[in-house]
Amino acid sequence: MKVKVIGAGLAGCEAAYRLAEEGFEVDLFDIKPKAYTPAHSNADFGELVCSNSLKSDDVYGNACGLLKEEMRILGSLTMQAAEASRVPAGGALAVDRDLFARFITEKIKSEDKINIVCGEVQSVPEENCILATGPLTAGALAEDIANVTGGGLHFYDASAPIVSAESIDMTRAFAGGRYGKGGDDYINCPMTKEEYKAFYAALTSAERADLHSFEKREIFEGCMPLEVMAARGEDTLRFGPFKPVGLRDAEGRSYYAVLQLRKENIQGSAYNLVGCQTNLKFGEQKRVFSLVPALKEAQFLRYGVMHRNTFINSPACLDADFSLRGGTVFFAGQITGVEGYVESAASGILAAIHLARRLKGLPRAIPPRDTACGALSEYISSPNADFQPMNANYGLLGAAATGIRDKKERYRYLSERALKNIREYKNTICQ
């Protein structure tokens, strides 16, 4: 039997890969390389747009780390690619974007059961498909999705600038992780009180890029532009992306504020400004970030950009198996309202598992709700009058109900329970 997967981002590639493993012939549709969305530029599939970080890799202390381990257990293609393209990032899992996308693309193209179709899909198929067209879905397909699902929602997302390593003034910076963890994976760019105040004044008065092409201006908290965050108060950044806590140089000195840089590629030739997603005009970005002493002569390899992300009102139209109620049309990825690279990829695996079971005549098998996968499945399908994109978090796993007072012990308990249950789930669906 042949199935369709529309979109070759993380969710779509995971879905196509899993369906092929389940024995199905897959037509994988994507507009690349003939065309690109406003945020994409790499001809390969699985392109990472906003950041090269897949966030924390702490399985027992971070819900996203737990989700990644659950995905490994379920045979995730994204996790295979991440291991093959990992760059040092302390406790986080960060990757070389180009190597990451290349790995995924080669895996997809080498799979005999996957037929790649380059072209634009303009309507929702009637059956046997997974739509994973991502948060930049537009045109006729977006209109048809809105008709099928009862309307679309959207928010704004932003990415951070990238600078060349050789242009960073290391006489004004130092390498090291917070509290000495993670070796020298980050470059820290410290600022005195006076330097930070000058930076803050420039940031909050800088000119922003035009957004007139968008209908609304709603900003998602998880990807808030730096200038919007700064407008909440002068110290907001010092308690967020510029927090100096736990960062000391070789002489043991602490600072008023610290901007961290994270490797963008394995060679270490490019660095991402951590937490500095922005919608400032390009010239303004250079002017403002050059006020950070270590970045005074920085060469910008890519400026930050902002774009609209679209997602459907999933609780109103999707079941916990990511299907449009009553049929074999499934959705996956950020368009469902899961937020983040890892969460999007996980939804692709789950949608594929469920579609495969549906077509094989097997009963529906939703992951237990006390797993990260199950918690996200429940979130996107449960009634919610104010549905917004959601990352994996321990709150969804019932952290408050454990009765364990110590946070580290509570999180470890939740992770150990989740991993036990996801392994049992895998055994169930693989019988």
Side-chain angles (χ1 to χ4, degrees):
M1 182 180 295
K2 180 169 286 190
V3 296
K4 295 179 180 178
V5 175
I6 304 172
L10 295 182
C13 287
E14 287 278 18
Y17 186 73
R18 180 69 186 223
L19 286 165
E21 288 194 322
E22 294 277 356
F24 292 92
E25 298 288 336
V26 182
D27 281 341
L28 175 61
F29 292 80
D30 199 88
I31 60 174
K32 289 183 177 183
K34 290 183 180 179
Y36 296 87
T37 73
H40 293 87
S41 60
N42 190 325
D44 286 333
F45 301 147
E47 180 181 357
L48 303 183
V49 175
C50 294
S51 169
N52 71 323
S53 174
L54 304 185
K55 299 191 291 190
S56 176
D57 210 23
D58 181 358
V59 176
Y60 298 103
N62 184 282
C64 190
L66 167 63
L67 178 59
K68 284 194 277 291
E69 188 64 18
E70 291 186 12
M71 290 168 63
R72 293 182 184 107
I73 291 170
L74 294 176
S76 167
L77 174 60
T78 298
M79 291 298 98
Q80 294 176 41
E83 288 305 319
S85 59
R86 180 192 285 262
V87 298
L93 175 56
V95 302
D96 181 308
R97 295 175 198 251
D98 292 339
L99 295 180
F100 177 86
R102 191 179 309 146
F103 182 97
I104 288 178
T105 304
E106 290 174 353
K107 278 281 190 178
I108 293 295
K109 289 184 175 180
S110 66
E111 175 53 64
D112 292 339
K113 290 186 176 296
I114 298 177
N115 173 45
I116 298 170
V117 182
C118 180
E120 184 176 356
V121 176
Q122 298 190 335
S123 61
V124 178
E126 294 183 357
E127 62 180 2
N128 303 348
C129 73
I130 296 176
L131 285 103
T133 49
L136 293 177
T137 304
L141 180 59
E143 293 179 9
D144 197 42
I145 289 174
N147 290 333
V148 169
T149 62
L153 306 172
H154 62 267
F155 63 94
Y156 288 95
D157 198 2
S159 60
I162 296 171
V163 299
S164 70
E166 63 183 6
S167 69
I168 302 166
D169 184 355
M170 291 304 298
T171 67
R172 304 297 302 273
F174 61 94
R178 203 175 298 276
Y179 297 109
K181 297 179 180 179
D184 294 339
D185 296 345
Y186 288 84
I187 291 178
N188 303 292
C189 305
M191 287 179 274
T192 64
K193 183 175 182 179
E194 293 72 22
E195 291 164 344
Y196 174 79
K197 284 180 174 290
F199 170 85
Y200 177 81
L203 175 64
T204 52
S205 62
E207 190 174 359
R208 302 180 189 182
D210 184 19
L211 282 178
H212 290 170
S213 61
F214 297 116
E215 295 85 1
K216 295 174 66 178
R217 298 190 180 193
E218 297 174 355
I219 297 170
F220 175 54
E221 288 281 336
C223 287
M224 179 168 292
L226 196 69
E227 60 273 13
V228 175
M229 190 186 307
R232 295 180 171 180
E234 187 174 293
D235 287 330
T236 304
L237 301 184
R238 296 201 315 112
F239 287 92
F242 283 51
K243 66 181 178 182
V245 178
L247 295 172
R248 294 179 180 272
D249 63 18
E251 282 71 45
R253 291 174 296 194
S254 58
Y255 293 88
Y256 190 76
V258 178
L259 164 60
Q260 289 195 297
L261 310 179
R262 179 183 59 235
K263 283 184 180 179
E264 178 67 21
N265 54 26
I266 288 177
Q267 295 84 0
S269 61
Y271 276 79
N272 187 291
L273 278 62
V274 178
C276 291
Q277 54 269 12
T278 180
N279 186 47
L280 296 183
K281 288 188 172 181
F282 289 176
E284 292 286 75
Q285 290 183 41
K286 182 172 180 60
R287 179 179 70 85
V288 171
F289 289 113
S290 293
L291 291 174
V292 177
L295 301 181
K296 184 178 180 180
E297 304 295 335
Q299 176 188 0
F300 287 78
L301 303 178
R302 188 197 73 184
Y303 288 104
V305 294
M306 190 171 182
H307 51 84
R308 188 182 71 183
N309 279 0
T310 299
F311 61 98
I312 62 176
N313 187 10
S314 294
C317 58
L318 296 188
D319 280 331
D321 63 357
F322 292 86
S323 69
L324 272 176
R325 293 185 174 127
T328 56
V329 174
F330 290 71
F331 282 81
Q334 282 188 238
I335 199 168
T336 67
V338 296
E339 171 54 29
Y341 292 147
V342 177
E343 291 85 347
S344 297
S347 72
I349 301 172
L350 296 173
I353 289 172
H354 299 313
L355 175 56
R357 292 183 68 83
R358 182 81 61 89
L359 296 178
K360 290 177 179 180
L362 298 172
R364 192 170 73 165
I366 309 298
R369 72 161 311 279
D370 53 13
T371 64
C373 286
L376 287 172
S377 301
E378 181 175 84
Y379 178 74
I380 62 96
S381 60
S382 297
N384 188 336
D386 187 28
F387 182 66
Q388 292 292 319
M390 181 67 75
N391 298 109
N393 63 79
Y394 282 117
L396 294 178
L397 275 78
T402 64
I404 302 173
R405 296 178 62 87
D406 182 82
K407 185 172 75 171
K408 287 185 177 180
E409 292 181 6
R410 183 166 65 250
Y411 288 176
R412 173 168 283 276
Y413 167 79
L414 290 169
S415 290
E416 289 177 343
R417 182 180 69 181
L419 294 177
K420 173 179 177 294
N421 288 335
I422 203 70
R423 290 188 180 101
E424 292 177 354
Y425 172 75
K426 179 187 177 181
N427 291 336
T428 298
I429 62 174
C430 290
Q431 287 178 353

